[in-house]
Amino acid sequence: MRIRAVILRTLRQFRRDKRTVALMFIAPLLVLTLMNLVFNGSAYVPRIGITEGAADTFGEALTTQNAKVIPYPSDEQAEQALEDNKIDAVVSLQGGKPAVKLEGSDPTASRAVMSVIQNAAASLLPAASPSAAANADGSASASGNGNGNGNVYNGNRNGNRNGNGNPLAQPEISYLHGSGDMSTIDHIGPVLIGFFIFFFVFLIAGVAFLRERTSGTLERLLASPIRRSELVLGYLGGFGLFTLAQALLITWYSIKVLGIVMTGSFGYVLLLTLLLSMTALTLGMLMSAYASNELQMIQFIPIIIVPQLFLSGLFNLDTLPDWLAALRFIMPLYFGAQAMTDVMIRGQGWSGIAADLWSLAGYCVLFTLLNIAALRKHRKI
Amino acid sequence: MNSSLSPVLSASRVSRSFAGKTILSDIDLDIRPAEIFGLLGPSGSGKTTLVKMLAGIDAPTTGQIRLLGTLLPKRSMLQQIGYMAQADALYNELTARENMEFFAALYGLRGKRRSVRIEETAGLVGLSEHLSKKAWQYSGGMKRRLSLAIALLHEPPVLLLDEPTVGIDPVLRRSIWAELRKLTGKGTTVVLTTHVMDEADKCDRLAMIRDGRILAEGSTAELLRQTDTDQIEDAFIKLGGAGQ
Ligand SMILES: Nc1ncnc2c1ncn2[C@@H]1O[C@H](COP(=O)(O)OP(=O)(O)OP(=O)(O)O)[C@@H](O)[C@H]1O
Ligand SMILES: [Mg+2]
């Protein structure tokens, strides 16, 4: 009864606060769309300058690769173009051997140049020297990017490219999860969906509860016979219904509109996002006790939210010092992001995500209990 | 003291300190059924602190407070109290009616009774026509009246009102006092704080508070006789002076 009253009130407040609703519904979609455009852009086509001497042999091999080849009459002109950042690399003939000079300030461009050049070199020298063979390894996976069509076991298509029939020259490529044409956004998408829900719910719930305290309504509420637990559960219910709608929209948009890879069950994704938002809600409420105004609530973002993003699987953590990487085990977002990736990319079911789900649920229960206890500060009983 | 009237609300040797600083000390009070009891004192004297303890929101550092014989703080006793805080505690983005519906639900009012009580109390404070306005559109006095209406919603036997008439014009103030009188006629006990001396006259009994202590307690006439003055203001000054 009283829980219902709190739920109803929370929903009514949302209905009145159009801006917050817009923030929670539209902002994540906007950012995800932007991220999608940035990370999902088609493969970078490097611009490679080539000088007279190298043009006849190497130039042809390069143009069959995914590169824009620009001929220059002299080394100096090519160097100048490189200086002016008009091209990403210059290929010239130095003492009979091809030499490559890269512009080098953008790693993405550099990598693209290297991949193209290695592929070109490999196609010129099928009976490769040891170093070229090692390079061919790298080039095989790179060419897979442009070539794969989404089927998992299609590695033999890549092998046909050189047409030399040598099974050792080109390894067969296959994928256990995902596919060759999975882009960065597919990889970070599940983490980002979890993150945005966590971030916005944390902030909005935190500020809502902070307002409840600073406006005096919390004290007034606690002058009524409501139980502290009823108040916390009411918040959970109100925000829960609201964020359920938010989670539905965000996941639907990511999967159906942005086309982020989704191999698992939609239901699990919803369950996960809901659990994540409940955890964010309870954590936000808890932290709001340590903030005396909205600005101080925002100050928690770099301390509590951002580290979680970095340690939640967005980046590979293997190179981090152990103690730092171990921090992720105290971060709810890590478990959420982990399970989201498991469902969306690896298509796992209950058994695959149960451990993460329980961890998340554990955090949610823990924070809820802490909230109920923290309210003792305002009313002992 | 009249022993046939057991007190509705009583404080015995109550003190309250915040972080080692004593705000209230040695408070003894007996509030009788169906009276209007005034807490009179200057700003910072500890009125709000005392009212919060009487309302069962805050607990005394030492001493005991009993409501209808039950030791406070106790959650179930909160149902017996209608509390109006000094600062208006309203949800600004909600309409006045929505605010009332919410608090009514917290006190277990539902259905027909709830809508009837909302209309009645809104009528009492003269807000019937403004119920669909949002709280932020209310003037200061309107917010005060809405807070009062909310305190009255569930027809509690004890009303604790912290400066209920601040910012309310004389005409409405008079009608609110008349209403409080009517309520005590029906058996409701009212405790209110004020630092307006002329309101003190309207209370059945008064306690004068200064620096966290009760200087004197009794009806206006008793206090005037005791201090040999003819104005409550003079009595207050005299008592304060004598206490030093
Ligand atoms: N939570 C608190 N922590 C520390 N000190 C407090 C707290 N609440 C009140 N005080 C102090 O207790 C004293 C009495 O405050 P209180 O609000 O009870 O005064 P009051 O009589 O209601 O004043 P006013 O008429 O201005 O409302 C003040 O000096 C105030 O600073
Ligand atoms: Mg006060």
Side-chain angles (χ1 to χ4, degrees):
Chain A
M1 174 72 187
R2 295 193 205 103
I3 297 179
R4 225 191 69 186
V6 178
I7 293 178
L8 187 67
R9 191 212 80 206
T10 318
L11 291 177
R12 275 176 166 171
Q13 281 176 303
F14 271 126
R15 207 180 60 201
R16 290 289 149 67
D17 192 353
K18 301 272 188 311
R19 261 187 76 145
T20 299
V21 173
L23 180 76
M24 288 184 80
F25 283 108
I26 315 278
L29 302 193
L30 215 70
V31 184
L32 276 168
T33 309
L34 217 72
M35 292 270 196
N36 188 42
L37 290 174
V38 171
F39 290 114
N40 206 18
S42 43
Y44 181 74
V45 178
R47 287 157 302 167
I48 298 175
I50 196 155
T51 53
E52 293 276 84
D56 38 335
T57 50
F58 217 72
E60 207 162 295
L62 277 177
T63 35
T64 61
Q65 300 295 328
N66 196 18
K68 185 163 167 41
V69 179
I70 304 148
Y72 286 95
S74 75
D75 283 8
E76 289 70 38
Q77 274 168 300
E79 294 268 343
Q80 188 57 46
L82 194 64
E83 185 79 27
D84 297 343
N85 205 4
K86 286 192 183 119
I87 50 177
D88 297 313
V90 178
V91 180
S92 57
L93 220 55
Q94 307 274 326
K97 282 169 74 180
V100 181
K101 188 168 185 184
L102 286 100
E103 200 274 332
S105 63
D106 179 357
T108 311
S110 300
R111 261 197 304 276
V113 169
M114 287 315 288
S115 153
V116 162
I117 294 211
Q118 280 160 3
N119 282 353
S123 69
L124 283 176
L125 310 161
S129 63
S131 69
N135 283 342
D137 231 3
S139 70
S141 64
S143 69
N145 262 330
N147 213 23
N149 61 3
N151 295 333
V152 175
Y153 293 103
N154 69 340
N156 51 348
R157 289 206 180 186
N158 293 328
N160 292 339
R161 169 184 287 249
N162 287 335
N164 59 9
N166 183 352
L168 286 176
Q170 286 288 349
E172 278 195 19
I173 314 288
S174 65
Y175 294 86
L176 176 60
H177 297 297
S179 66
D181 61 359
M182 208 174 102
S183 62
T184 312
I185 189 72
D186 291 314
H187 165 58
I188 63 174
V191 179
L192 284 181
I193 293 172
F195 170 73
F196 285 126
I197 289 175
F198 196 90
F199 174 80
F200 286 110
V201 173
F202 174 87
L203 197 61
I204 284 160
V207 169
F209 206 66
L210 175 91
R211 286 223 185 109
E212 185 98 70
R213 183 163 53 88
T214 53
S215 71
T217 48
L218 178 63
E219 183 193 278
R220 181 64 191 81
L221 263 176
L222 292 174
S224 84
I226 192 171
R227 286 188 182 86
R228 284 178 280 129
S229 56
E230 288 173 325
L231 176 57
V232 176
L233 291 178
Y235 256 78
L236 274 173
F239 271 79
L241 285 174
F242 192 78
T243 50
L244 186 66
Q246 187 203 26
L248 258 171
L249 181 70
I250 294 180
T251 28
W252 171 81
Y253 185 82
S254 308
I255 295 162
K256 299 287 179 228
V257 179
L258 298 183
I260 289 176
V261 166
M262 166 71 169
T263 51
S265 120
F266 196 79
Y268 282 137
V269 173
L270 265 190
L271 178 66
L272 276 167
T273 46
L274 193 66
L275 258 178
L276 257 179
S277 64
M278 292 290 96
T279 314
L281 162 74
T282 44
L283 182 62
M285 274 173 81
L286 200 59
M287 295 319 294
S288 78
Y290 302 96
S292 44
N293 55 48
E294 279 90 344
L295 185 62
Q296 293 194 346
M297 199 62 219
I298 294 187
Q299 289 164 3
F300 284 129
I301 294 174
I303 299 171
I304 291 187
I305 304 293
V306 176
Q308 294 204 60
L309 177 63
F310 285 113
L311 294 181
S312 62
L314 205 52
F315 306 105
N316 195 314
L317 298 181
D318 293 342
T319 54
L320 278 187
D322 283 348
W323 64 270
L324 195 59
L327 273 184
R328 67 183 186 271
F329 293 115
I330 60 164
M331 300 188 165
L333 188 57
Y334 168 74
F335 297 103
Q338 188 91 339
M340 289 284 281
T341 311
D342 280 344
V343 173
M344 291 181 67
I345 296 179
R346 302 199 182 97
Q348 296 194 350
W350 177 259
S351 58
I353 58 170
D356 289 325
L357 264 175
W358 287 121
S359 307
L360 214 51
Y363 270 113
C364 192
V365 171
L366 174 72
F367 293 149
T368 304
L369 293 177
L370 286 177
N371 267 307
I372 296 173
L375 279 174
R376 282 182 64 88
K377 199 172 122 193
H378 302 279
R379 193 183 74 187
K380 298 281 176 294
I381 30 98
Chain B
M1 183 168 286
N2 192 340
S3 58
S4 70
L5 290 173
S6 62
V8 171
L9 195 52
S10 68
S12 65
R13 292 192 306 285
V14 164
S15 74
R16 179 73 173 98
S17 37
F18 292 106
K21 193 165 171 282
T22 304
I23 301 298
L24 286 173
S25 46
D26 271 334
I27 304 287
D28 280 293
L29 276 181
D30 279 314
I31 291 150
R32 299 172 195 159
E35 71 173 345
I36 298 184
F37 189 93
L39 291 167
L40 183 66
S43 180
S45 56
K47 302 183 296 293
T48 298
T49 311
L50 180 56
V51 167
K52 279 186 192 169
M53 289 192 295
L54 293 175
I57 309 166
D58 196 12
T61 311
T62 62
Q64 294 187 332
I65 294 177
R66 285 177 186 277
L67 172 65
L68 304 164
T70 309
L71 193 65
L72 295 186
K74 187 170 169 58
R75 192 181 56 81
S76 60
M77 291 310 281
L78 294 170
Q79 182 73 30
Q80 308 298 320
I81 290 171
Y83 173 63
M84 173 180 177
Q86 181 169 5
D88 298 303
L90 301 166
Y91 295 98
N92 281 324
E93 60 275 37
L94 298 185
T95 65
R97 185 189 302 279
E98 286 168 341
N99 269 285
M100 295 181 89
E101 281 171 354
F102 173 60
F103 284 106
L106 291 186
Y107 287 96
L109 263 59
R110 58 176 97 194
K112 182 114 181 72
R113 170 133 189 270
R114 178 164 83 187
S115 35
V116 168
R117 282 304 294 163
I118 289 175
E119 292 308 324
E120 282 176 2
T121 52
L124 279 182
V125 296
L127 286 179
S128 296
E129 278 101 72
H130 307 282
L131 280 184
S132 31
K133 267 194 196 158
K134 311 235 168 68
W136 63 264
Q137 296 168 312
Y138 268 30
S139 71
M142 288 166 92
K143 285 185 185 170
R144 223 51 218 127
R145 281 139 67 192
L146 180 57
S147 300
L148 179 60
I150 288 172
L152 299 174
L153 272 174
H154 65 291
E155 297 177 278
V158 181
L159 281 173
L160 286 164
L161 313 175
D162 200 352
E163 314 217 357
T165 55
V166 169
I168 295 183
D169 62 89
V171 178
L172 204 69
R173 184 184 296 215
R174 182 165 296 181
S175 83
I176 286 175
W177 270 96
E179 198 50 48
L180 292 180
R181 270 287 157 228
K182 224 193 270 167
L183 285 171
T184 56
K186 288 191 235 160
T188 306
T189 308
V190 180
V191 180
L192 53 85
T193 71
T194 178
H195 44 220
V196 186
M197 300 288 169
D198 68 336
E199 279 198 344
D201 277 336
K202 302 196 182 95
C203 298
D204 296 315
R205 288 193 313 132
L206 281 173
M208 289 186 168
I209 304 188
R210 171 171 275 176
D211 297 330
R213 286 174 185 280
I214 294 186
L215 302 177
E217 184 191 339
S219 68
T220 320
E222 280 166 6
L223 290 176
L224 292 179
R225 202 166 46 240
Q226 202 180 318
T227 52
D228 198 22
T229 51
D230 47 28
Q231 269 190 7
I232 210 72
E233 200 155 11
D234 296 333
F236 190 72
I237 291 164
K238 206 160 176 180
L239 280 164
Q244 280 164 8

XYZ file of all heavy atoms in Angstrom, chain A residues 97 118 121-137 166 168-169:
143
model
N 65.664 -1.849 -53.493
C 64.665 -2.456 -52.613
C 63.569 -1.441 -52.287
O 63.842 -0.262 -52.148
C 65.326 -2.905 -51.306
C 66.109 -4.222 -51.463
C 66.958 -4.506 -50.240
C 66.118 -4.963 -49.083
N 66.987 -5.231 -47.894
N 51.920 -5.102 -46.637
C 52.288 -6.495 -46.414
C 51.511 -7.412 -47.352
O 52.053 -8.366 -47.896
C 52.042 -6.886 -44.953
C 53.165 -6.400 -44.046
C 52.744 -6.328 -42.593
O 51.618 -6.689 -42.254
N 53.631 -5.865 -41.749
N 53.058 -7.123 -50.721
C 54.346 -7.825 -50.755
C 54.113 -9.324 -50.832
O 54.768 -10.039 -51.597
C 55.170 -7.466 -49.522
N 53.153 -9.792 -50.064
C 52.877 -11.227 -50.051
C 52.386 -11.702 -51.415
O 52.721 -12.796 -51.862
C 51.839 -11.556 -48.976
N 51.599 -10.858 -52.079
C 51.064 -11.280 -53.369
C 52.151 -11.277 -54.447
O 52.063 -11.995 -55.433
C 49.896 -10.371 -53.782
O 50.383 -9.096 -54.092
N 53.167 -10.421 -54.230
C 54.260 -10.379 -55.201
C 55.185 -11.567 -55.041
O 55.756 -12.072 -55.982
C 55.067 -9.087 -55.025
C 54.442 -7.815 -55.597
C 55.305 -6.627 -55.265
C 54.224 -7.960 -57.099
N 55.382 -11.992 -53.788
C 56.346 -13.051 -53.507
C 55.662 -14.248 -52.861
O 55.678 -14.401 -51.654
C 57.439 -12.532 -52.546
C 58.120 -11.210 -52.905
C 58.794 -10.625 -51.704
C 59.083 -11.419 -54.055
N 55.044 -15.086 -53.685
C 54.369 -16.250 -53.095
C 55.350 -17.199 -52.412
O 55.071 -17.726 -51.348
C 53.694 -16.923 -54.285
C 54.078 -16.172 -55.500
C 54.964 -15.049 -55.137
N 56.505 -17.379 -52.991
C 57.517 -18.192 -52.329
C 58.305 -17.274 -51.416
O 59.354 -16.767 -51.769
C 58.424 -18.854 -53.365
N 57.744 -17.063 -50.267
C 58.200 -15.947 -49.458
C 59.455 -16.265 -48.669
O 59.730 -17.411 -48.322
C 57.105 -15.541 -48.494
N 60.202 -15.215 -48.380
C 61.303 -15.307 -47.425
C 60.673 -15.455 -46.042
O 59.495 -15.139 -45.855
C 62.144 -14.048 -47.493
O 61.360 -12.945 -47.110
N 61.418 -15.936 -45.045
C 60.848 -16.179 -43.720
C 60.128 -14.960 -43.145
O 59.045 -15.081 -42.592
C 62.058 -16.551 -42.872
C 63.074 -17.059 -43.835
C 62.819 -16.376 -45.122
N 60.704 -13.783 -43.290
C 60.076 -12.601 -42.684
C 58.766 -12.279 -43.396
O 57.786 -11.901 -42.779
C 61.024 -11.408 -42.738
O 61.168 -10.986 -44.077
N 58.760 -12.445 -44.709
C 57.534 -12.164 -45.455
C 56.429 -13.146 -45.075
O 55.265 -12.788 -44.996
C 57.793 -12.241 -46.948
N 56.831 -14.393 -44.821
C 55.838 -15.383 -44.425
C 55.197 -15.016 -43.098
O 53.989 -15.147 -42.909
C 56.482 -16.763 -44.319
N 56.028 -14.522 -42.202
C 55.498 -14.094 -40.906
C 54.507 -12.971 -41.096
O 53.455 -12.918 -40.458
C 56.635 -13.660 -39.995
N 54.813 -12.075 -42.019
C 53.906 -10.968 -42.290
C 52.602 -11.457 -42.889
O 51.545 -10.938 -42.589
C 54.554 -9.978 -43.253
C 55.576 -9.125 -42.536
O 55.540 -9.060 -41.300
N 56.476 -8.516 -43.284
N 52.723 -12.455 -43.748
C 51.536 -12.963 -44.420
C 50.501 -13.450 -43.411
O 49.306 -13.345 -43.633
C 51.911 -14.105 -45.358
N 51.003 -13.934 -42.302
C 50.118 -14.340 -41.222
C 49.198 -13.203 -40.803
O 47.988 -13.333 -40.745
C 50.970 -14.745 -40.025
C 50.561 -16.114 -39.519
O 49.664 -16.734 -40.142
O 51.121 -16.525 -38.504
N 48.809 -23.515 -52.120
C 49.692 -23.939 -51.053
C 48.983 -23.831 -49.711
O 48.696 -22.726 -49.259
C 50.960 -23.088 -51.077
C 51.948 -23.531 -50.030
O 51.621 -24.369 -49.196
N 53.146 -22.962 -50.105
N 49.962 -24.138 -46.764
C 50.744 -23.549 -45.672
C 50.792 -22.030 -45.770
O 50.927 -21.344 -44.778
C 52.168 -24.114 -45.688
C 52.293 -25.555 -45.186
C 53.719 -26.038 -45.338
C 51.821 -25.643 -43.739
N 50.674 -21.487 -46.955
C 50.846 -20.049 -47.129
C 49.713 -19.271 -46.458
O 49.947 -18.280 -45.797
C 50.899 -19.710 -48.609
